Amino acid sequence: MDNVINCPQCGRLFVKYLREHCDVCFKEEEQQYDKVYRFIRKSENRNATIIDVSEATSVSENKIIYFIHQGRIRVKGFPNFTYPCDGCQKPINDSRLCQDCKTRIMADLSIEDLIKKKQQEVLPSYHTEDK
Ligand SMILES: [Zn+2]
Ligand SMILES: [Zn+2]
């Protein structure tokens, strides 16, 4: 059968459909997400650190960071809630990268954009001007 793989999390066989994990792990993850989300939503937890959240919800720090990376949990505005930058491991509390890494990557990107633009300029344009 096609698309039958072992769940990377628990090793169970499952049909890979829209998800990377089997149903059991998916449900577990949803429950974990729910716990974290509910915890940080409370205003009295505004000053929580990632360790506090992990302890209160029994969800691992890695998992919490994973939710943040997915964009499902936002901790901007939580002064003590920091996690490592994807680029340099510096503590951050918004998106995946610190400002330095963002600037660096943006600089790299704009060079690529420039090259792309140059390439497009030499390509014939099929763009029509219909109104
Ligand atoms: Zn699984
Ligand atoms: Zn960084």
Coordinates of all heavy atoms in Angstrom, one line a residue, residues 29 32 42 44 53 60 66 72 74 89-90 101 106-107 113 121 128-129:
E29 N -1.3 15.7 20.6 CA -0.7 17.0 20.3 C -1.7 18.1 20.4 O -1.5 19.2 21.0 CB -0.1 17.0 18.9 CG 0.8 18.2 18.7 CD 1.5 18.1 17.3 OE1 2.4 17.2 17.2 OE2 1.2 18.9 16.4
Q32 N -2.3 18.8 24.0 CA -1.2 19.6 24.6 C -1.3 21.0 24.2 O -1.1 21.9 25.0 CB 0.2 19.0 24.1 CG 0.4 17.6 24.7 CD 1.7 17.0 24.1 OE1 2.1 17.3 23.0 NE2 2.4 16.2 24.9
K42 N -4.4 33.2 30.2 CA -4.8 33.8 31.5 C -3.9 34.9 31.8 O -2.6 34.8 31.7 CB -4.7 32.7 32.6 CG -5.8 31.7 32.5 CD -5.7 30.8 33.7 CE -6.7 29.6 33.5 NZ -6.2 28.4 34.1
E44 N -3.0 36.2 34.5 CA -2.1 36.1 35.7 C -0.8 35.3 35.2 O 0.1 35.2 36.0 CB -2.8 35.4 36.9 CG -3.1 33.9 36.7 CD -4.6 33.8 36.3 OE1 -5.2 34.7 35.7 OE2 -5.2 32.8 36.8
V53 N 5.5 27.3 32.1 CA 4.4 26.8 31.2 C 4.6 25.3 31.1 O 3.6 24.6 31.2 CB 4.4 27.5 29.8 CG1 3.3 26.9 28.9 CG2 4.3 29.0 30.0
S60 N 6.3 19.3 27.1 CA 7.7 19.6 27.0 C 8.1 21.0 26.4 O 7.3 21.5 25.5 CB 8.5 18.5 26.3 OG 8.2 18.6 24.9
Y66 N 7.8 24.2 19.4 CA 7.2 23.7 18.1 C 5.9 24.4 17.8 O 5.6 24.8 16.7 CB 7.0 22.2 18.3 CG 6.2 21.5 17.2 CD1 6.8 21.2 15.9 CD2 4.9 21.1 17.5 CE1 6.0 20.6 15.0 CE2 4.2 20.4 16.5 CZ 4.7 20.2 15.3 OH 4.0 19.5 14.3
R72 N 1.1 28.8 16.1 CA -0.2 28.6 16.7 C -0.2 29.3 18.1 O -1.3 29.5 18.7 CB -0.4 27.1 16.9 CG -0.5 26.4 15.6 CD -0.7 24.9 15.8 NE -2.0 24.6 16.2 CZ -2.4 23.4 16.6 NH1 -1.5 22.4 16.6 NH2 -3.6 23.1 17.0
R74 N 1.4 32.5 20.3 CA 2.1 33.7 20.3 C 2.5 34.1 21.7 O 1.6 34.3 22.5 CB 1.3 34.8 19.5 CG 1.1 34.4 18.1 CD 0.5 35.6 17.3 NE 0.2 35.1 16.0 CZ 1.1 34.9 15.0 NH1 2.4 35.2 15.2 NH2 0.8 34.4 13.9
Q89 N 20.5 30.8 18.5 CA 20.2 30.3 19.8 C 20.0 31.4 20.9 O 19.9 31.1 22.1 CB 21.2 29.2 20.3 CG 21.4 28.1 19.4 CD 20.2 27.2 19.2 OE1 19.6 26.7 20.2 NE2 19.7 27.1 18.0
K90 N 20.1 32.6 20.5 CA 19.9 33.7 21.4 C 18.4 33.7 21.9 O 17.5 33.4 21.1 CB 20.2 35.0 20.7 CG 20.8 36.0 21.6 CD 21.5 37.1 20.8 CE 20.6 38.0 19.9 NZ 21.4 39.0 19.1
C101 N 19.4 37.9 13.1 CA 19.3 36.9 12.1 C 18.3 37.3 11.0 O 18.5 37.0 9.9 CB 18.8 35.5 12.8 SG 20.1 34.8 13.8
M106 N 17.2 38.7 5.7 CA 16.6 39.7 4.7 C 17.6 40.1 3.7 O 17.2 40.3 2.6 CB 16.0 40.9 5.5 CG 14.8 40.5 6.3 SD 13.4 40.2 5.3 CE 12.5 41.8 5.5
A107 N 18.8 40.4 4.2 CA 19.8 40.9 3.3 C 20.1 39.8 2.2 O 20.2 40.1 1.0 CB 21.1 41.2 4.0
D113 N 16.3 38.1 -4.6 CA 15.2 38.8 -5.3 C 15.8 39.5 -6.5 O 15.2 39.6 -7.5 CB 14.5 39.7 -4.3 CG 13.6 39.0 -3.4 OD1 13.3 37.8 -3.7 OD2 13.0 39.6 -2.5
E121 N 13.7 39.9 -16.2 CA 13.7 41.0 -17.2 C 14.1 40.5 -18.6 O 13.7 41.0 -19.6 CB 14.7 42.0 -16.7 CG 14.0 43.0 -15.8 CD 15.1 43.9 -15.1 OE1 16.2 44.0 -15.6 OE2 14.7 44.4 -14.0
T128 N -0.5 39.7 -20.5 CA -1.4 40.5 -21.4 C -2.0 41.7 -20.7 O -2.1 41.7 -19.5 CB -2.5 39.6 -21.9 OG1 -3.1 39.0 -20.8 CG2 -2.0 38.5 -22.9
E129 N -2.3 42.7 -21.4 CA -2.7 43.9 -20.8 C -4.2 44.1 -20.9 O -4.7 45.2 -20.9 CB -2.0 45.1 -21.5 CG -0.5 45.0 -21.5 CD 0.1 45.9 -20.3 OE1 -0.3 47.0 -20.2 OE2 0.9 45.3 -19.6

